[in-house]
Amino acid sequence: GSAHYRSVALSPDGLQLVGIKHDLTVVEQTRTALQPFSDATPDAGDFADFNLTRASIPVANQELSDPIVGPDDTSFFFSHYTTSYAGENATLFESHRSGGVWSFDNPDLGKLLYADDQKRRIPTGISYDSLTLFYRDEVEGDFRAAWRVNTQVAFDYVEVLALADGVVAAAPGASCQRVYYSAPGTSGLDLFVAEAAP
């Protein structure tokens, strides 16, 4: 359609698109299999409460980006920050769907994921069990994965992923035996796959 977004994410089945618009509202639209997303004026749907809470925050220069819908369709990762942050700040958050409604939650996902001034940890993928988060680390200048022991606690362990130089984004397949990632290739930004070691 003619809807315009800052960034988008897909539901696990690929039939719902979640988009962040230029006014920082989150909208959603659905399609049937093999059909395009054609709604030119999608509405907030299950993100109505999320949008109301975000809009009520009395902070200037807000940004909302990097949406990722979790594999069970009940978690939603996103970045929320301001362009005037200084020092260490939480900018990466996880929303939870309850009763069909997404809330604008701000649980602390761990200091390992904090931004440093304007350099952020940018999420690009989540594992099937929601325990491993893949992200581009602007603070350290590399690409990493963070782990947590269950979905009720913060991420407390990270490792650098030695995929390639200049990785922009990475996300695992359903079994986590493969990681798909984007990095500079022979003709610009290309798509690659890495297999898990046996």
Side-chain angles (χ1 to χ4, degrees):
S2 60
H4 296 157
Y5 305 106
R6 298 165 58 96
S7 51
V8 297
L10 286 176
S11 62
D13 62 9
L15 300 181
Q16 185 177 61
L17 182 143
V18 175
I20 299 175
K21 298 180 70 176
H22 293 282
D23 63 0
L24 304 189
T25 58
V26 182
V27 297
E28 57 186 17
Q29 60 174 298
T30 58
R31 65 176 178 180
T32 56
L34 305 178
Q35 296 301 309
F37 292 105
S38 56
D39 189 349
T41 57
D43 60 29
D46 294 344
F47 283 93
D49 284 352
F50 181 103
N51 290 336
L52 283 174
T53 303
R54 203 281 315 154
S56 70
I57 298 173
V59 176
N61 304 316
Q62 292 183 56
E63 295 288 341
L64 186 67
S65 60
D66 315 316
I68 299 173
V69 179
D72 59 1
D73 207 23
T74 62
S75 61
F76 176 68
F77 294 86
F78 61 96
S79 295
H80 179 248
Y81 56 100
T82 79
T83 56
S84 56
Y85 269 156
E88 288 190 333
N89 290 280
T91 61
L92 174 54
F93 303 100
E94 180 181 10
S95 171
H96 297 280
R97 186 202 298 261
S98 178
V101 175
W102 292 104
S103 60
F104 188 89
D105 292 335
N106 287 315
D108 192 330
L109 294 181
K111 288 193 174 183
L112 294 173
L113 298 174
Y114 279 18
D116 187 4
D117 294 333
Q118 295 302 305
K119 294 181 178 179
R120 298 185 296 113
R121 272 71 187 225
I122 300 172
T124 66
I126 188 72
S127 63
Y128 191 75
D129 58 8
S130 293
L131 301 182
T132 307
L133 180 74
F134 295 76
Y135 66 95
R136 187 169 76 250
D137 195 324
E138 292 184 336
V139 178
E140 302 296 337
D142 51 28
F143 200 91
R144 300 184 174 212
W147 283 266
R148 60 184 174 183
V149 295
N150 64 62
T151 58
Q152 306 305 309
V153 300
F155 291 89
D156 60 2
Y157 177 73
V158 299
E159 278 191 15
V160 175
L161 295 183
L163 296 172
D165 291 334
V167 173
V168 175
S175 68
C176 269
Q177 295 302 302
R178 290 181 175 177
V179 174
Y180 299 89
Y181 64 95
S182 295
T186 56
S187 57
L189 197 63
D190 287 340
L191 180 64
F192 300 91
V193 62
E195 299 281 351

PDB file of all heavy atoms in Angstrom, residues 82-89 115-118:
ATOM      1  N   THR A  82      16.150   9.022  23.614  1.00  0.00           N
ATOM      2  CA  THR A  82      16.121  10.390  23.123  1.00  0.00           C
ATOM      3  C   THR A  82      17.469  10.706  22.480  1.00  0.00           C
ATOM      4  O   THR A  82      18.484  10.083  22.802  1.00  0.00           O
ATOM      5  CB  THR A  82      15.863  11.421  24.244  1.00  0.00           C
ATOM      6  OG1 THR A  82      17.071  11.637  24.964  1.00  0.00           O
ATOM      7  CG2 THR A  82      14.770  10.954  25.170  1.00  0.00           C
ATOM      8  N   THR A  83      17.469  11.684  21.618  1.00  0.00           N
ATOM      9  CA  THR A  83      18.707  12.071  20.932  1.00  0.00           C
ATOM     10  C   THR A  83      19.580  12.953  21.810  1.00  0.00           C
ATOM     11  O   THR A  83      20.644  13.388  21.375  1.00  0.00           O
ATOM     12  CB  THR A  83      18.379  12.816  19.626  1.00  0.00           C
ATOM     13  OG1 THR A  83      17.537  13.940  19.930  1.00  0.00           O
ATOM     14  CG2 THR A  83      17.671  11.901  18.644  1.00  0.00           C
ATOM     15  N   SER A  84      19.149  13.188  23.041  1.00  0.00           N
ATOM     16  CA  SER A  84      19.945  14.022  23.954  1.00  0.00           C
ATOM     17  C   SER A  84      20.491  13.236  25.138  1.00  0.00           C
ATOM     18  O   SER A  84      20.974  13.824  26.100  1.00  0.00           O
ATOM     19  CB  SER A  84      19.101  15.201  24.456  1.00  0.00           C
ATOM     20  OG  SER A  84      17.908  14.737  25.066  1.00  0.00           O
ATOM     21  N   TYR A  85      20.415  11.903  25.078  1.00  0.00           N
ATOM     22  CA  TYR A  85      20.950  11.085  26.168  1.00  0.00           C
ATOM     23  C   TYR A  85      22.455  11.291  26.326  1.00  0.00           C
ATOM     24  O   TYR A  85      23.190  11.441  25.347  1.00  0.00           O
ATOM     25  CB  TYR A  85      20.713   9.605  25.900  1.00  0.00           C
ATOM     26  CG  TYR A  85      19.424   9.047  26.440  1.00  0.00           C
ATOM     27  CD1 TYR A  85      18.855   7.911  25.887  1.00  0.00           C
ATOM     28  CD2 TYR A  85      18.771   9.635  27.523  1.00  0.00           C
ATOM     29  CE1 TYR A  85      17.683   7.374  26.381  1.00  0.00           C
ATOM     30  CE2 TYR A  85      17.593   9.112  28.016  1.00  0.00           C
ATOM     31  CZ  TYR A  85      17.049   7.987  27.448  1.00  0.00           C
ATOM     32  OH  TYR A  85      15.890   7.458  27.943  1.00  0.00           O
ATOM     33  N   ALA A  86      22.916  11.276  27.565  1.00  0.00           N
ATOM     34  CA  ALA A  86      24.342  11.291  27.866  1.00  0.00           C
ATOM     35  C   ALA A  86      24.599  10.268  28.960  1.00  0.00           C
ATOM     36  O   ALA A  86      23.761  10.057  29.844  1.00  0.00           O
ATOM     37  CB  ALA A  86      24.786  12.672  28.323  1.00  0.00           C
ATOM     38  N   GLY A  87      25.745   9.582  28.884  1.00  0.00           N
ATOM     39  CA  GLY A  87      26.063   8.558  29.862  1.00  0.00           C
ATOM     40  C   GLY A  87      25.349   7.254  29.562  1.00  0.00           C
ATOM     41  O   GLY A  87      24.843   7.037  28.460  1.00  0.00           O
ATOM     42  N   GLU A  88      25.305   6.366  30.549  1.00  0.00           N
ATOM     43  CA  GLU A  88      24.676   5.056  30.370  1.00  0.00           C
ATOM     44  C   GLU A  88      23.167   5.159  30.591  1.00  0.00           C
ATOM     45  O   GLU A  88      22.724   5.739  31.588  1.00  0.00           O
ATOM     46  CB  GLU A  88      25.276   4.041  31.341  1.00  0.00           C
ATOM     47  CG  GLU A  88      26.680   3.613  30.989  1.00  0.00           C
ATOM     48  CD  GLU A  88      27.139   2.446  31.822  1.00  0.00           C
ATOM     49  OE1 GLU A  88      26.648   2.289  32.967  1.00  0.00           O
ATOM     50  OE2 GLU A  88      27.980   1.682  31.345  1.00  0.00           O
ATOM     51  N   ASN A  89      22.410   4.583  29.656  1.00  0.00           N
ATOM     52  CA  ASN A  89      20.952   4.602  29.752  1.00  0.00           C
ATOM     53  C   ASN A  89      20.380   3.337  29.137  1.00  0.00           C
ATOM     54  O   ASN A  89      20.912   2.809  28.154  1.00  0.00           O
ATOM     55  CB  ASN A  89      20.371   5.806  29.000  1.00  0.00           C
ATOM     56  CG  ASN A  89      20.670   7.115  29.674  1.00  0.00           C
ATOM     57  OD1 ASN A  89      20.013   7.489  30.632  1.00  0.00           O
ATOM     58  ND2 ASN A  89      21.692   7.811  29.189  1.00  0.00           N
ATOM     59  N   ALA A 115      22.881   1.772  26.532  1.00  0.00           N
ATOM     60  CA  ALA A 115      23.573   2.665  25.603  1.00  0.00           C
ATOM     61  C   ALA A 115      24.632   3.456  26.368  1.00  0.00           C
ATOM     62  O   ALA A 115      24.563   3.601  27.591  1.00  0.00           O
ATOM     63  CB  ALA A 115      22.587   3.614  24.952  1.00  0.00           C
ATOM     64  N   ASP A 116      25.608   3.974  25.632  1.00  0.00           N
ATOM     65  CA  ASP A 116      26.620   4.854  26.196  1.00  0.00           C
ATOM     66  C   ASP A 116      26.610   6.135  25.363  1.00  0.00           C
ATOM     67  O   ASP A 116      27.046   6.126  24.214  1.00  0.00           O
ATOM     68  CB  ASP A 116      27.992   4.186  26.165  1.00  0.00           C
ATOM     69  CG  ASP A 116      29.049   4.996  26.901  1.00  0.00           C
ATOM     70  OD1 ASP A 116      28.701   6.030  27.497  1.00  0.00           O
ATOM     71  OD2 ASP A 116      30.226   4.599  26.880  1.00  0.00           O
ATOM     72  N   ASP A 117      26.089   7.209  25.949  1.00  0.00           N
ATOM     73  CA  ASP A 117      25.826   8.433  25.199  1.00  0.00           C
ATOM     74  C   ASP A 117      24.895   8.095  24.025  1.00  0.00           C
ATOM     75  O   ASP A 117      23.837   7.541  24.235  1.00  0.00           O
ATOM     76  CB  ASP A 117      27.126   9.090  24.735  1.00  0.00           C
ATOM     77  CG  ASP A 117      27.972   9.598  25.908  1.00  0.00           C
ATOM     78  OD1 ASP A 117      27.387   9.910  26.960  1.00  0.00           O
ATOM     79  OD2 ASP A 117      29.199   9.659  25.765  1.00  0.00           O
ATOM     80  N   GLN A 118      25.307   8.375  22.800  1.00  0.00           N
ATOM     81  CA  GLN A 118      24.448   8.118  21.637  1.00  0.00           C
ATOM     82  C   GLN A 118      24.749   6.775  20.960  1.00  0.00           C
ATOM     83  O   GLN A 118      24.131   6.441  19.947  1.00  0.00           O
ATOM     84  CB  GLN A 118      24.581   9.248  20.627  1.00  0.00           C
ATOM     85  CG  GLN A 118      24.075  10.590  21.140  1.00  0.00           C
ATOM     86  CD  GLN A 118      22.616  10.541  21.567  1.00  0.00           C
ATOM     87  OE1 GLN A 118      21.750  10.141  20.785  1.00  0.00           O
ATOM     88  NE2 GLN A 118      22.336  10.925  22.800  1.00  0.00           N
TER      89      GLN A 118
END
